[in-house]
Amino acid sequence: MHRTKVRVVEDALDANNTIARANRDDFDRHGVGVVNLMSAPGAGKTTLLERALDGLPGDVRAGVLEGDVAGSFDADRLSLLHIPVAQLNTGNGFGGECHLDANMVRTALPSLPLADLDLLVIENVGNLVCPAEFRVGEDARIMVCSVTEGEDKPLKYPLMFRACELVLINKIDLLPHLDADVDRLLANLDAVNPGVARMLVSARTGEGVDAFREWLTAVPARVGAAA
Ligand code: MG
Ligand code: ZN
């Protein structure tokens, strides 16, 4: 019984990876660098994007795919940047799943003008567990961890912190009001993903966001160089 269950999970992940490769091919064909942005709910993904995507160099045309169980609150906010934004609701035909998978992303691709984009940010559903298990065809994975979440989170959700190339430590403007220990948070991060790139940022004040914007700006060139 146990073996069968494991087998089913492996088959599902194989199927996901096959579709992720199809997405990847589409992104490559259109020369789009793709980032999968993950975090717990409320860590500040959307506010960070509002800050970082505003002021991108003109030769980096960005678009966003917003993943949420329901509603278009974040897509509506990002539309104010006058960039292509598509909303993907997992509650609309995908069982209200708490993550995005490659197939969901694939169904949303026709609503994005890939030929006119250099950078696509996929904002995943807020969740520290299963988004890390599903590749969607991205080039890089970023996770946002805010200082209000507690220093122990890398140790409690190691897969998420291991599955990313960049960790944004957000809400550092709140540090004077918290007992949070950022050094311990970073030590715990290094315990599960030694030396992973990290940036201390405040989406609210904009501190550190320039460095994040530069990192995003470099994604399409990195992909182009690899192709
Ligand atoms: Mg959001
Ligand atoms: Zn899930």
Side-chain angles (χ1 to χ4, degrees):
M1 194 62 197
H2 179 69
R3 274 194 78 83
T4 310
K5 214 169 172 182
V6 170
R7 186 62 200 266
V8 169
V9 171
E10 282 175 356
D11 287 351
L13 287 175
D14 280 352
N16 184 75
N17 287 337
T18 301
I19 301 171
R21 268 193 297 276
N23 291 346
R24 180 69 264 158
D25 288 346
D26 285 352
F27 298 143
D28 282 343
R29 190 145 29 84
H30 293 104
V32 188
V34 182
V35 165
N36 185 355
L37 184 62
M38 305 179 290
S39 79
K45 296 185 296 301
T46 310
T47 310
L48 271 169
L49 288 180
E50 285 177 317
R51 284 271 189 179
L53 297 182
D54 195 22
L56 277 176
D59 59 341
V60 179
R61 298 163 301 172
V64 178
L65 176 57
E66 268 298 330
D68 282 296
V69 174
S72 62
F73 302 99
D74 294 350
D76 294 342
R77 284 167 59 188
L78 290 166
S79 295
L80 298 176
L81 296 176
H82 303 291
I83 59 175
V85 180
Q87 178 73 53
L88 172 50
N89 282 141
T90 64
N92 189 7
F94 299 109
E97 287 283 14
C98 47
H99 59 269
L100 297 182
D101 67 21
N103 181 52
M104 297 178 206
V105 168
R106 187 139 196 86
T107 62
L109 291 187
S111 43
L112 285 160
L114 289 184
D116 301 327
L117 296 182
D118 305 297
L119 173 69
L120 173 64
V121 178
I122 299 174
E123 185 181 329
N124 217 307
V125 180
N127 180 342
L128 282 182
V129 185
C130 26
E133 294 171 22
F134 296 89
R135 308 293 307 209
V136 297
E138 71 275 53
D139 298 289
R141 307 170 107 192
I142 302 173
M143 76 122 356
V144 184
C145 180
S146 62
V147 293
T148 54
E149 293 170 49
E151 300 91 353
D152 55 352
K153 288 304 168 291
L155 304 178
K156 286 178 142 176
Y157 302 93
L159 179 63
M160 173 60 73
F161 285 85
R162 225 174 257 144
C164 53
E165 284 81 47
L166 173 65
V167 176
L168 300 173
I169 309 292
N170 191 25
K171 305 192 187 180
I172 59 169
D173 56 293
L174 293 179
L175 284 173
H177 312 287
L178 303 172
D179 292 326
D181 183 342
V182 174
D183 289 338
R184 218 171 91 215
L185 172 60
L186 295 177
N188 289 339
L189 175 61
D190 279 323
V192 300
N193 194 351
V196 63
R198 78 282 315 262
M199 294 175 181
L200 303 186
V201 300
S202 166
R204 185 167 158 267
T205 68
E207 187 177 353
V209 171
D210 286 350
F212 177 41
R213 187 184 300 109
E214 279 168 33
W215 198 96
L216 284 176
T217 301
V219 169
R222 256 174 34 196
V223 177

